[in-house]
Amino acid sequence: MKTFFLVIAITLCSLANSMAQADHEAIKRVLRNETEGFFKRDKAVWSNAWAHAPYIHFAANLYGGDFMLVEGWDKLEKQFASQFKSSKVMDNVMVQNANYSIHQNGNMAFVTYDQTLLDSHGKTTSKESRVVEKINGQWKIINVTALTNLKNFGLAQQK
């Protein structure tokens, strides 16, 4: 009888680990889709990565030394509307994400990672954090904090 319970316990642990791994891969995919959708000027892909809710937040430092904080999907969509007016991709941006740390608790997860963007201006690095929520079986972004290393950005633009 003990062997039976041990086999069941091991099977359940293995199944839970497999489900968590699948969730982690889905979370990474939605984060990548959001960033790539933005840079490819694909509003549908970008928008699909977000929860369309009044409680979402977007925070980032900006190239001029200022910062941006936007609350609510309606305001975020308006904030970035001009980015999607032209379907022409302005620059071919390669997105590289690494060093993921994912803490999942049920239908919520907190994620941190390093991001590198490579384009014709050079390389831009940032520390990223996201909160995602599983809504109707799909992971959606509800909070973004993007801390971009702007130290050499102006130098790369001048080259």
Side-chain angles (χ1 to χ4, degrees):
M1 190 61 120
K2 286 182 184 180
T3 304
F4 174 74
F5 286 122
L6 182 60
V7 168
I8 294 295
I10 290 171
T11 302
L12 289 176
C13 286
S14 177
L15 181 60
N17 188 37
S18 176
M19 289 173 56
Q21 191 62 25
D23 272 336
H24 290 189
E25 290 306 314
I27 289 167
K28 289 177 186 179
R29 190 169 39 257
V30 79
L31 300 180
R32 187 173 204 43
N33 286 347
E34 187 269 345
T35 303
E36 288 182 348
F38 177 80
F39 285 111
K40 290 179 180 176
R41 304 302 188 249
D42 188 332
K43 186 177 181 187
V45 170
W46 174 79
S47 175
N48 189 51
W50 283 91
H52 295 195
Y55 56 84
I56 64 108
H57 285 88
F58 177 91
N61 60 326
L62 303 175
Y63 298 115
D66 203 357
F67 62 90
M68 174 191 307
L69 177 61
V70 181
E71 181 178 0
W73 170 251
D74 292 342
K75 290 178 184 171
L76 184 70
E77 188 177 34
K78 283 181 187 174
Q79 178 70 38
F80 288 104
S82 65
Q83 302 290 331
F84 298 104
K85 285 188 178 172
S86 170
S87 61
K88 180 183 176 192
V89 177
M90 298 180 81
D91 202 350
N92 187 19
V93 179
M94 183 187 312
V95 179
Q96 298 174 341
N97 296 338
N99 302 321
Y100 284 95
S101 172
I102 301 175
H103 174 75
Q104 182 181 346
N105 189 349
N107 288 334
M108 301 283 285
F110 178 76
V111 185
T112 60
Y113 57 99
D114 299 330
Q115 184 170 85
T116 301
L117 303 176
L118 300 168
D119 62 17
S120 62
H121 301 295
K123 177 170 82 169
T124 304
T125 59
S126 61
K127 299 290 185 182
E128 305 284 329
S129 72
R130 305 284 187 271
V131 178
V132 293
E133 179 179 15
K134 200 174 208 179
I135 301 171
N136 298 323
Q138 294 190 335
W139 289 101
K140 301 291 183 176
I141 298 169
I142 63 171
N143 184 284
V144 165
T145 303
L147 301 173
T148 303
N149 179 357
L150 303 173
K151 184 172 124 181
N152 295 321
F153 185 76
L155 297 175
Q157 292 282 36
Q158 292 172 1
K159 290 182 180 176

